[in-house]
Amino acid sequence: VYVDGEFNGHDWVDELGDAMNATFKTNSSDAAYKVVSKMLSDLGDPYTRIEPPSDFEDFRMTTDAELQGVGLLVASNDGRLLVVTPLKGGPAEKAGILPGDELLSVNGKSVSGLSGPEVAKVLRGKPGTSVAIRLHRRTQGAIPGVASRPVKATPVVQTRQLRMKRAAVQLSSVYHELLEDGRHGKIGYININSFSQFVGRDTEEAIKDLEGQGAEGYILDLRDNAGGLVQSGMDVARLWLDGSANVFHVKGRPGTTEDAVQDVNLEEGSAVTNKPLAVLDGSALFVTVAKYTTPKFHEIDQIGIAPDLACGQPTAMEVVNGKGTATEDLAAILMAETEDDACVQSAEDFIMKSGPKHI
């Protein structure tokens, strides 16, 4: 890796010069990115990389917790693009778009064949600019004269044409709910999908809300977390740990000024081990300059940490039976019901055995 003083057995200076000369001979930016990516991959560090402008924009959107667009989360399901949810306070929510609505076109162009991320990029844009979308909404038709009859009615398809002005929409990385089944008591469930800029604040608000509902213990779900800002991770840790607990160590490349081990605790804040260098064309070069270790100096990169209590969870194919509505099937693909999640159930059992107010 880059923090390796031997540069993974490569002559860094010569290979860097060769790569730079090769980029000047390419006829496109994509070709130049491939040359640089090949050079960096030889270092053996997946975190030292170059990000093209579009990828770096996505990275900034995640860490800044803000997007510029209409505020729609969409996903592909059986060849259709369905709305997962409109983001709170965004133009899409204000326009009345609902989960399960099927997106047909954007600015008069069909979105057939496009993926969720591809459509999301089309919907984004400078705040104040307008975008037109066309969608289908499937609702359950009424059964005349039998209002409460438990018979599945034929869906009614409504077509809607909307024009919205794009805006800056804040993203939330935190989801929370109170789990209450009579056997485990009241358990506060908090899911964090990335450590974005405001995740500490949002997590604190979630805790206060759950405390107000009488939570007796907590489950902090970090599965499939995309990572993000180290400082944001520290902000979350402060909510659960007392005093100035040592969270991790940072050690730089041998022979450099960053070679000394840095102890990082809750009072002092975070240290950066991966630094982005912005390039004029909007791309960015990420370079690893140090390593993290645990408080006991164990390296966990590409190794991970063995859990005290292991659990299993169903795959998307096991969750979806294909018999629900499009909206129900889509929700099942994205996340199984929390109460039916095997890992959540294991955590609830552990909390009850350990006593209240555990996490």
Side-chain angles (χ1 to χ4, degrees), residues 195 199 229-238:
F195 288 108
V199 70
L229 303 175
V230 178
Q231 184 59 55
S232 294
M234 297 290 288
D235 292 341
V236 172
R238 287 189 183 93

Side-chain angles (χ1 to χ4, degrees), residues 78-347:
D78 292 334
R80 295 185 296 161
L81 284 166
L82 301 181
V83 174
V84 179
T85 184
L87 298 179
K88 185 177 180 180
E93 183 192 51
K94 294 177 181 177
I97 297 177
L98 301 175
D101 286 348
E102 180 184 356
L103 196 60
L104 302 176
S105 67
V106 177
N107 289 333
K109 295 183 179 180
S110 172
V111 296
S112 177
L114 298 183
S115 65
E118 289 172 333
V119 172
K121 289 184 178 181
V122 176
L123 291 172
R124 293 177 201 153
K126 186 177 179 180
T129 59
S130 64
V131 58
I133 68 170
R134 186 168 175 264
L135 55 83
H136 275 168
R137 175 172 300 168
R138 289 172 170 79
T139 59
Q140 297 297 330
I143 304 177
V146 193
S148 61
R149 183 179 176 184
V151 176
K152 188 173 183 179
T154 302
V156 175
V157 179
Q158 299 175 345
T159 301
R160 301 189 67 194
Q161 184 81 29
L162 301 171
R163 179 171 292 275
M164 297 172 286
K165 282 191 176 182
R166 297 182 176 96
V169 183
Q170 185 172 324
L171 300 172
S172 177
S173 303
V174 180
Y175 167 80
H176 73 280
E177 65 175 292
L178 186 71
L179 306 180
E180 189 174 11
D181 63 5
R183 186 168 66 92
H184 296 102
K186 294 183 177 181
I187 304 297
Y189 172 83
I190 301 175
N191 178 285
I192 301 177
N193 59 43
S194 69
F195 288 108
S196 54
Q197 183 176 358
F198 304 111
V199 70
R201 179 201 65 190
D202 293 345
T203 302
E204 184 174 14
E205 291 177 354
I207 293 173
K208 289 180 179 178
D209 181 50
L210 292 168
E211 286 282 338
Q213 297 182 59
E216 301 169 302
Y218 290 90
I219 296 173
L220 183 60
D221 191 348
L222 301 179
R223 292 173 297 174
D224 299 321
N225 185 290
L229 303 175
V230 178
Q231 184 59 55
S232 294
M234 297 290 288
D235 292 341
V236 172
R238 287 189 183 93
L239 299 172
W240 307 105
L241 302 177
D242 295 324
S244 58
N246 191 4
V247 181
F248 57 85
H249 302 289
V250 176
K251 192 175 190 305
R253 182 160 57 90
T256 69
T257 57
E258 297 179 327
D259 184 15
V261 174
Q262 301 177 54
D263 297 331
V264 181
N265 58 50
L266 293 179
E267 291 183 351
E268 296 175 353
S270 65
V272 177
T273 64
N274 190 268
K275 298 181 178 179
L277 173 65
V279 184
L280 292 180
D281 68 345
S283 61
L285 178 66
F286 287 78
V287 179
T288 300
V289 297
K291 288 183 177 180
Y292 290 121
T293 67
T294 68
K296 293 186 177 180
F297 298 97
H298 297 306
E299 291 191 13
I300 61 174
D301 183 40
Q302 301 185 41
I303 298 173
I305 299 177
D308 295 325
L309 177 65
C311 64
Q313 59 181 340
T315 65
M317 291 305 294
E318 293 172 330
V319 171
V320 180
N321 58 24
K323 297 180 180 179
T325 65
T327 305
E328 291 168 345
D329 285 348
L330 178 61
I333 291 173
L334 297 174
M335 179 182 288
E337 287 294 331
T338 306
E339 291 85 351
D340 298 329
D341 190 313
C343 288
V344 172
Q345 292 175 351
S346 296

